[in-house]
Amino acid sequence: MNKTAMGKINRLIAVLLIAGLCGAAASCASQNTSAGAVQTSSDEQAPVSIVMTYMHNGKVPSDMQDVIEAVNLQTVPAIGVAVEFLPLTITTAQTRLPLLIGTGERIDLMCNVFQDATVLAEQGLILPLNTLVEENAPYIAEASHEFPLFDGSYIDDKFYSIATIGYVYGTAGGYLIKSRYLEEAGLSTQDRRMTLDGLTDVLSSIKSLHPNIYPNALNTTDQKHSNFAYYNIFDAIGGSIVSGGLLSIEATTVENLFETDEYRDYLEKMRQWHLLGLSNPDGAVTDINSLDQILLDQSCGMAMPFQPVIKSDIQYYLSEKMTNFQMTDIYFPSQTFSQSVSWSVPITSAEPSAAIRFLDFTYSNHHISNTILWGIEGRHYVVEDKDKFLIRFPDGISAENSGYFNTYGLYGDRRFEYIWSLDNDRETNAAYTRQATGNKTQAFGYNYSSLKMNTKIIAINQVLAKYLPSLESGSADLDLVYPKFLADLKTAGIDEVIADNQKQFDDWRSGQTTQ
């Protein structure tokens, strides 16, 4: 933490203690805190300061420090902990966090997004959490009996990360597009099922009317994941794309995604879009995220998971109606987004107990989690319907001019997360979850342990970072680049990693049949 940030925390704590605001803030916090939350008095001992990573989409919100102070006004008197955010872009965090920890950077609480906690644990970068949770996190401990909060992060009998509690479980591939562009092209604006060929026709129709835009927003810079799963069913079976996965609900063979016919067909489609001017030609190098490309009307659509909340949030971000194309069936993979977002305590933490105490508070106190997510009530949002958790922007405020709008739902018990539209209400999400639950992959509940393959996985990730931006943006000549990509993956050891995954998966399945 830098001296300026630390100074702001210290000044805030001083204001709380001297001005006597602690009691009022505690009263505010207690209105939204469950009976199981940890409660301490800041009069008993000096507050502890922690550093928490804060994921953003490339732009640090201008009002972030004000939100931090609003959070601390509640957490200092309630649990004796003050927080400072360490902002990181969500696309580069996987690379930067291990480097920061390795160089001794103080981080007390770390968000893992699509990052395997067991790999971090095996690298000695994060702490086991069993005792920390038992002693500091009653809400999380109780919720873990109902939700898979620790699954996928165990090594032997120790777990190393805590997942968020999802408002919805399951996933599907999808594509969101501005409805007004469809209307101009004489196309239906109804949410509906779509194929890649059909989407090509839609984007081509829009391009013919708007030759100066690239309909498909794209940013594959620093990409180590694949957009393939937005258009096809793919379960990375609890690991990541480097260790293979399943390409259908019934599949039990772990495949190297990158050498499948389905992936080659996907790359050919992306290449076609590039040559037709349907995708952003700078997608492999731009620093403008896909959503802002749409906001600026440089593009009008992008691939996204097909979920009610995503359409709801993005419509508010863009302040206009969106159409949601469903590209795949709704299904339940080995891990859903909620399980792919988890929290860990790095070895560089100066205050592990305070970090977990703060984390537990974000689960039990729904006002705190919504403050971190949406900002300050009355300034960044207004509660429209308290019972339905419905919010809107204050008059004169939009996503474009708000000082704090960050749609990454990464915090706490998301069943109590504020929503921008009743399209994303509890009943809608419950129906989605039921549909997904009835369509589980064969790896549901499985998680690959990559302990023996760390060196190879690092090498494979380096290959992905080299090739994926150009391949998946469509800017690479497939005949020239794709064979080199596959050859480099094999040299890095991808076949050995997938074989290891297959053996573990087979052993796990055998154990399931004998239970």
Side-chain angles (χ1 to χ4, degrees):
M1 183 188 301
N2 61 45
K3 292 181 179 178
T4 301
M6 197 70 187
K8 288 181 177 180
I9 281 185
N10 291 334
R11 288 196 299 275
L12 172 64
I13 293 170
V15 169
L16 285 168
L17 295 176
I18 295 171
L21 294 177
C22 294
S27 175
C28 173
S30 66
Q31 295 175 10
N32 290 284
T33 307
S34 77
V38 178
Q39 298 291 321
T40 65
S41 171
S42 61
D43 295 324
E44 296 175 0
Q45 58 184 5
V48 177
S49 299
I50 67 167
V51 179
M52 179 185 85
T53 60
Y54 176 84
M55 301 298 170
H56 60 89
N57 62 7
K59 296 188 301 183
V60 178
S62 60
D63 290 346
M64 187 181 75
Q65 193 61 41
D66 292 344
V67 172
I68 292 172
E69 293 177 3
V71 169
N72 288 337
L73 278 168
Q74 298 171 69
T75 59
V76 168
I79 59 172
V81 179
V83 67
E84 182 66 28
F85 294 167
L86 173 64
L88 295 167
T89 59
I90 201 165
T91 55
T92 61
Q94 288 188 30
T95 303
R96 288 198 61 198
L97 281 169
L99 294 175
L100 290 172
I101 298 169
T103 56
E105 178 83 12
R106 178 185 172 182
I107 303 173
D108 296 291
L109 187 59
M110 179 177 78
C111 185
N112 314 310
V113 181
F114 299 114
Q115 196 162 15
D116 188 346
T118 59
V119 173
L120 297 173
E122 289 156 1
Q123 294 171 346
L125 298 177
I126 56 178
L127 300 174
L129 301 179
N130 303 57
T131 302
L132 285 168
V133 167
E134 180 181 349
E135 296 178 352
N136 300 280
Y139 190 96
I140 289 172
E142 182 65 26
S144 68
H145 299 304
E146 183 179 357
F147 300 98
L149 301 187
F150 313 141
D151 289 7
S153 74
Y154 276 93
I155 297 178
D156 297 327
D157 60 345
K158 296 178 180 178
F159 63 87
Y160 289 82
S161 70
I162 304 167
T164 59
I165 298 175
Y167 54 84
V168 63
Y169 285 87
T171 191
Y175 195 92
L176 272 173
I177 191 165
K178 286 184 173 181
S179 299
R180 62 182 168 92
Y181 282 88
L182 296 175
E183 292 173 352
E184 292 171 2
L187 301 171
S188 170
T189 61
Q190 296 297 311
D191 293 351
R192 60 191 185 277
R193 191 67 181 257
M194 182 63 68
T195 64
L196 261 176
D197 287 338
L199 188 54
T200 303
D201 293 340
V202 168
L203 298 179
S204 297
S205 297
I206 293 171
K207 180 71 174 181
S208 66
L209 293 176
H210 299 276
N212 294 325
I213 76 164
Y214 301 97
N216 180 51
L218 200 62
N219 183 328
T220 59
T221 308
D222 298 323
Q223 185 167 321
K224 288 186 180 179
H225 67 280
S226 173
N227 289 336
F228 174 87
Y230 292 137
Y231 303 105
N232 301 266
I233 286 178
F234 182 71
D235 185 353
I237 55 179
S240 69
I241 54 173
V242 305
S243 53
L246 309 178
L247 285 165
S248 72
I249 300 300
E250 300 79 16
T252 57
T253 299
V254 181
E255 296 191 64
N256 175 359
L257 167 66
F258 305 110
E259 65 179 3
T260 63
D261 292 340
E262 289 87 347
Y263 186 74
R264 173 67 195 232
D265 291 344
Y266 158 72
L267 290 184
E268 288 178 349
K269 186 62 65 177
M270 295 303 103
R271 179 63 172 167
Q272 179 188 9
W273 287 10
H274 176 82
L275 295 175
L276 291 174
L278 304 183
S279 290
N280 176 7
D282 298 324
V285 296
T286 184
D287 59 357
I288 304 175
N289 68 69
S290 297
L291 196 52
D292 282 345
Q293 292 173 33
I294 297 175
L295 178 66
L296 297 170
D297 270 330
Q298 297 173 356
S299 303
C300 62
M302 64 185 295
M304 294 285 284
F306 180 83
Q307 287 185 340
V309 63
I310 292 176
K311 177 182 176 180
S312 170
D313 288 351
I314 289 181
Q315 283 188 149
Y316 260 81
Y317 182 77
L318 299 174
S319 298
E320 67 175 285
K321 182 182 176 183
M322 303 293 290
T323 295
N324 211 354
F325 294 142
Q326 182 180 350
M327 304 300 298
T328 74
D329 292 340
I330 296 171
Y331 65 103
F332 210 140
S334 55
Q335 285 192 326
T336 65
F337 181 76
S338 293
Q339 292 167 273
S340 299
V341 176
S342 64
W343 293 87
S344 296
V345 175
I347 58 170
T348 55
S349 172
E351 299 287 349
S353 295
I356 292 299
R357 194 158 72 248
F358 179 88
L359 183 66
D360 193 66
F361 198 65
T362 66
Y363 281 70
S364 65
N365 185 299
H366 314 310
H367 186 265
I368 282 292
S369 58
N370 278 298
T371 299
I372 299 173
L373 177 57
W374 300 123
I376 300 169
E377 184 176 350
R379 178 172 169 183
H380 302 116
Y381 70 87
V382 174
V383 176
E384 189 95 315
D385 189 322
K386 184 177 180 180
D387 293 334
K388 295 180 179 179
F389 300 93
L390 183 66
I391 59 174
R392 62 172 175 81
F393 285 117
D395 294 342
I397 300 297
S398 66
E400 190 171 2
N401 64 17
S402 175
Y404 194 90
F405 187 75
N406 191 2
T407 61
Y408 294 138
L410 310 174
Y411 308 103
D413 190 340
R414 300 193 63 196
R415 294 173 298 172
F416 302 95
E417 189 174 286
Y418 292 149
I419 60 176
W420 297 92
S421 168
L422 293 180
D423 290 340
N424 180 38
D425 64 8
R426 290 188 180 187
E427 292 183 6
T428 300
N429 288 323
Y432 187 102
T433 298
R434 285 194 298 271
Q435 189 169 350
T437 301
N439 199 30
K440 296 177 181 177
T441 72
Q442 301 303 304
F444 177 76
Y446 168 75
N447 186 65
Y448 172 55
S449 175
S450 57
L451 176 63
K452 298 185 297 184
M453 297 289 162
N454 277 348
T455 301
K456 289 181 171 59
I457 286 174
I458 291 171
I460 296 166
N461 273 321
Q462 291 172 343
V463 174
L464 299 188
K466 176 181 178 181
Y467 287 99
L468 282 193
S470 60
L471 283 171
E472 297 215 349
S473 67
S475 57
D477 184 329
L478 288 182
D479 291 336
L480 295 176
V481 177
Y482 183 61
K484 295 178 182 177
F485 171 54
L486 294 182
D488 284 0
L489 285 175
K490 290 185 179 298
T491 300
I494 195 169
D495 289 341
E496 292 88 340
V497 173
I498 290 173
D500 184 50
N501 195 356
Q502 182 73 67
K503 183 180 185 307
Q504 289 188 36
F505 182 45
D506 290 343
D507 291 345
W508 175 83
R509 291 184 66 234
S510 297
Q512 298 300 300
T513 59
T514 59
Q515 290 180 3

